[in-house]
Amino acid sequence: MVAVPTSLRGVNYSVTVDVTLRAGIADPEGATIERALPALGFSGVSAVRAGKSFRMNVEADNEEAALAKATSLAQRLLSNPVMEDVVARITSEA
Amino acid sequence: MARIGVVVFPGSNCEYDAANAVSELGATPVFIWHSANDLGEVDGVILPGGFAHGDYLRPGALARFSPVMAAVQHFADNGGAVLGICNGFQVLTEAGLLPGALQKNRGLTFLCQPSTLVVASTRSVLTRNATVGQHLSVPINHFSGSYTCDDATYESLVANDQIVLRYLDNPNGSRDNIAGVSNEAGNVVGLMPHPERAMSTLLGSADGRVLLGGFVGLAATASL
């Protein structure tokens, strides 16, 4: 196997993608969690929204390209655009 | 005799109920594995209930990328009769063949109970033999069955008569009590309740025959 020089490879970026319900879409999970909090002694917590978080390593030439790739795959597969929004962010260089 | 394809995904679990219903209504069911690239010679297609691909990510999210879905899309685009039941409905919305989406039930509980449906439109391949306002007893069995869509989509559903069935007592928080919708042409229909489990009064209800009888009958006409 011929090793590919490091200079020709993209860098692996650690990317976190958050998938959350769009504003205006009812969130029964978030509402249930919020209602449970006072019973546990946590007061003053509101607007709880439940969602999903995905972590992945993305090979790309730079951060922008890594984020673009992660956002694209998140919109295609990880989320349903009818009811969810996605936000991708760089967590660190993997 | 009409041939009705019943798509089987890994994790489908209502395919035999659907096939039995098709047989009882005088048509021939044909199982189609999800990796098939074409549907073969069929006059209609049913996407049955279950947990396709384990419902991982979201119900239907992975199933919509199964190879067979390109063939289902092609079949639907050419006017073929397509019916999604429960998980099949979720797959059709994820695939964009039907508008809107199904999210978790309002009460966050899995619902397995009889439901009373009210026929809202008879313009679809599923409700063509029913009458508007007719009540049908059909069971539901789902966790993510709360129909949701944005305002623009809802207005177009109403304007185009695409709301096919409503719940009498909204059990899951669906927008406007919606239990089933069709595409604009009416040849693609999805519903959360299970008409294939309402085929016999001995087992609770035979009202599913009104719905599936129309679907199978239309496919039979297409095969003439």
Side-chain angles (χ1 to χ4, degrees):
Chain A
M1 202 173 110
V2 180
V4 179
T6 312
S7 59
L8 295 181
R9 275 186 309 203
V11 180
N12 264 321
Y13 291 93
S14 172
V15 178
T16 299
V17 176
D18 291 320
V19 177
T20 51
L21 287 167
R22 284 169 59 177
I25 299 287
D27 178 6
E29 218 168 350
T32 302
I33 293 166
E34 188 170 324
R35 279 198 304 273
L37 291 174
L40 301 174
F42 296 100
S43 60
V45 181
S46 60
V48 176
R49 301 285 280 175
K52 285 179 190 164
S53 180
F54 300 87
R55 295 189 65 177
M56 62 199 77
N57 292 340
V58 178
E59 192 180 301
D61 291 335
N62 52 51
E63 287 191 1
E64 289 70 35
L67 285 177
K69 192 191 276 189
T71 302
S72 172
L73 74 88
Q75 286 168 342
R76 181 95 197 280
L77 179 61
L78 302 183
S79 71
N80 180 339
V82 173
M83 55 181 175
E84 292 168 326
D85 286 326
V86 301
V87 177
R89 54 197 159 84
I90 300 286
T91 320
S92 68
E93 204 172 286
Chain B
M1 188 182 279
R3 289 163 57 85
I4 305 293
V6 178
V7 177
V8 183
F9 297 95
S12 293
N13 63 13
C14 297
E15 69 271 32
Y16 286 98
D17 288 346
N20 285 337
V22 166
S23 295
E24 279 211 28
L25 292 164
T28 306
V30 184
F31 289 119
I32 302 170
W33 183 236
H34 80 113
S35 60
N37 286 311
D38 70 88
L39 303 175
E41 291 293 314
V42 294
D43 306 300
V45 178
I46 296 176
L47 276 64
F51 300 84
H53 297 278
D55 272 1
Y56 290 140
L57 211 49
R58 298 176 306 281
L62 299 176
R64 67 157 294 200
F65 293 112
S66 277
V68 74
M69 287 309 295
V72 171
Q73 171 96 52
H74 182 74
F75 186 74
D77 288 348
N78 287 293
V82 177
L83 171 63
I85 301 171
C86 197
N87 195 221
F89 184 16
Q90 294 163 336
V91 174
L92 289 175
T93 59
E94 284 282 341
L97 279 161
L98 289 174
L102 284 312
Q103 64 170 156
K104 287 171 186 155
N105 296 340
R106 177 176 47 196
L108 286 180
T109 49
F110 191 98
L111 296 171
C112 181
Q113 62 196 49
S115 71
T116 301
L117 306 180
V118 184
V119 177
S121 167
T122 55
R123 211 177 52 82
S124 81
V125 290
L126 186 68
T127 50
R128 52 191 282 276
N129 285 355
T131 51
V132 171
Q134 184 176 3
H135 286 198
L136 300 170
S137 177
V138 181
I140 57 170
N141 189 55
H142 60 245
F143 185 72
S144 292
S146 184
Y147 185 82
T148 185
C149 63
D150 60 25
D151 292 344
T153 304
Y154 175 74
E155 279 154 27
S156 75
L157 286 178
V158 172
N160 299 322
D161 198 20
Q162 287 174 251
I163 300 171
V164 171
L165 295 161
R166 287 194 178 88
Y167 300 106
L168 185 62
D169 299 307
N170 195 343
N172 56 22
S174 289
R175 181 165 191 168
D176 194 22
N177 297 2
I178 290 173
V181 298
S182 74
N183 65 349
E184 219 173 311
N187 65 306
V188 180
V189 184
L191 78 168
M192 287 312 296
H194 286 271
E196 81 283 15
R197 295 188 194 170
M199 294 291 292
S200 158
T201 47
L202 193 63
L203 299 176
S205 169
D207 289 352
R209 288 175 177 271
V210 175
L211 300 174
L212 293 177
F215 181 80
V216 168
L218 184 77
T221 310
S223 72
L224 291 177

